[in-house]
Amino acid sequence: MTNRKTVAERKFRPAKQEAQDACRNVGTPQTQSEAYKLAFQDNEFLLRDDLRPIRFQLELLKPELLLDEAKIASTFVFYGSARIPAPAAAQERVALARTDWDQRVAKRLAEKSKYYEEARALARIAAAYPVDADGKRHFVVCSGGGPSIMEAANRGASDVDQSSIGLNITLPHEQAPNPYVTPELSFQFHYFALRKMHFTLRARALAVFPGGFGTFDEFFELLTLIQTGKMKRIPVLLFGRDFWTRVVDFEALAEEGVIGPADLDLISWVETADEAWSVVRRFYDAGGPGEGR
């Protein structure tokens, strides 16, 4: 009779066990050489320029596996500045400003600080979306993991006791995840390109708040993916019409012929969390994020 346990059991030792054994250096010149290290334990080897394609693959694969294991089927992505303070902090900055330039900048940031609370409110709504029949989660809040608007998004999910994702990036200056990111869903990236890919892979809605170069980069890449048909359309919620129309003349792009008039319809202008969620609900006809157009 076939022994089922014997048939099913693993025949090779796990790599983790092999790695532990490999660290038991016997102290000879051969075993102390860098060449003797297991390839996947040799950081100097893994960080060689030649290994960049492997690092790309690993940086794509690690979050993908962990998000799958967390049963996260779709996300609600939040983009926005790392410099817009919460309302209370914004007023403090105005009070501390000394030069005319600092006063003007501080006041403009204070005007935009309302979006901290709108991002937080929208995240609370999205994070409360129920799991589906298979136990998978949808509209899971996903931010860049940093301060300001990103912090507000993760904080909103935390307000309703739900987990949220932070996709942090290593930078020359100090960059740490905000305290509201779920530790098990806090990821660190070296490559901006792979980070942006993870922003879009599970995205079923996108909220874009006022921001700088990074926000522009992420926002316009996603618009390009939708415009060119590389990505199916999702709700793109643009908060802050006064800000955006001041820094980007979308109508002029159409009038100049470099985008089509229909491309302007890819954007939904909103000012509040409730408006934004209404757009998302209409887009998916009150169904789940897997039931859209």
Side-chain angles (χ1 to χ4, degrees), residues 182-248:
T182 301
E184 295 77 19
L185 300 176
S186 181
F187 302 103
Q188 183 174 208
F189 290 84
H190 172 64
Y191 299 106
F192 270 107
L194 272 298
R195 178 178 182 246
K196 287 193 290 183
M197 182 172 285
H198 276 292
F199 273 131
T200 58
L201 281 174
R202 285 176 167 78
R204 296 298 180 270
L206 170 68
V208 187
F209 293 83
F213 289 160
T215 303
F216 275 59
D217 175 40
E218 294 157 354
F219 170 41
F220 281 102
E221 175 161 318
L222 185 135
L223 280 182
T224 302
L225 290 171
I226 297 174
Q227 181 202 47
T228 57
K230 296 288 285 184
M231 177 181 179
K232 290 183 178 179
R233 188 174 177 182
I234 64 172
V236 178
L237 312 159
L238 203 53
F239 282 77
R241 184 188 285 267
D242 289 345
F243 168 82
W244 285 105
T245 54
R246 181 170 183 260
V247 297
V248 181

Side-chain angles (χ1 to χ4, degrees), residues 23-45:
C23 291
R24 294 171 186 162
N25 197 317
V26 297
T28 67
Q30 292 77 19
T31 61
Q32 290 178 340
S33 170
E34 291 294 309
Y36 194 71
K37 286 183 178 179
L38 288 171
F40 56 82
Q41 288 186 307
D42 188 342
N43 284 338
E44 290 299 320
F45 173 69

Side-chain angles (χ1 to χ4, degrees), residues 68-261:
D68 278 345
E69 290 170 4
K71 294 188 175 181
I72 294 174
S74 70
T75 57
F76 199 129
V77 176
F78 288 69
Y79 290 159
S81 175
R83 303 187 184 197
I84 296 174
Q91 294 306 319
E92 290 179 11
R93 177 165 178 166
V94 172
L96 293 172
R98 293 291 176 262
T99 68
D100 289 344
W101 172 266
D102 288 343
Q103 276 282 342
R104 289 199 301 274
V105 170
K107 288 179 179 178
R108 288 190 178 278
L109 286 173
E111 291 170 0
K112 290 186 283 292
S113 66
K114 63 184 179 181
Y115 294 118
Y116 181 100
E117 292 302 336
E118 294 302 332
R120 184 177 175 184
L122 180 57
R124 283 197 294 264
I125 297 170
Y129 194 84
V131 299
D132 66 18
D134 296 322
K136 293 183 178 180
R137 295 184 58 202
H138 292 280
F139 292 130
V140 176
V141 171
C142 177
S143 84
S148 188
I149 297 298
M150 295 172 279
E151 175 189 282
N154 297 113
R155 186 175 181 180
S158 178
D159 288 342
V160 292
D161 298 320
Q162 293 296 325
S163 57
S164 66
I165 303 165
L167 306 181
N168 215 249
I169 187 78
T170 57
L171 298 173
H173 56 273
E174 185 177 351
Q175 170 80 354
N178 71 67
Y180 301 102
V181 178
T182 301
E184 295 77 19
L185 300 176
S186 181
F187 302 103
Q188 183 174 208
F189 290 84
H190 172 64
Y191 299 106
F192 270 107
L194 272 298
R195 178 178 182 246
K196 287 193 290 183
M197 182 172 285
H198 276 292
F199 273 131
T200 58
L201 281 174
R202 285 176 167 78
R204 296 298 180 270
L206 170 68
V208 187
F209 293 83
F213 289 160
T215 303
F216 275 59
D217 175 40
E218 294 157 354
F219 170 41
F220 281 102
E221 175 161 318
L222 185 135
L223 280 182
T224 302
L225 290 171
I226 297 174
Q227 181 202 47
T228 57
K230 296 288 285 184
M231 177 181 179
K232 290 183 178 179
R233 188 174 177 182
I234 64 172
V236 178
L237 312 159
L238 203 53
F239 282 77
R241 184 188 285 267
D242 289 345
F243 168 82
W244 285 105
T245 54
R246 181 170 183 260
V247 297
V248 181
D249 195 333
F250 293 97
E251 295 286 346
L253 291 173
E255 291 170 1
E256 292 292 331
V258 293
I259 65 171

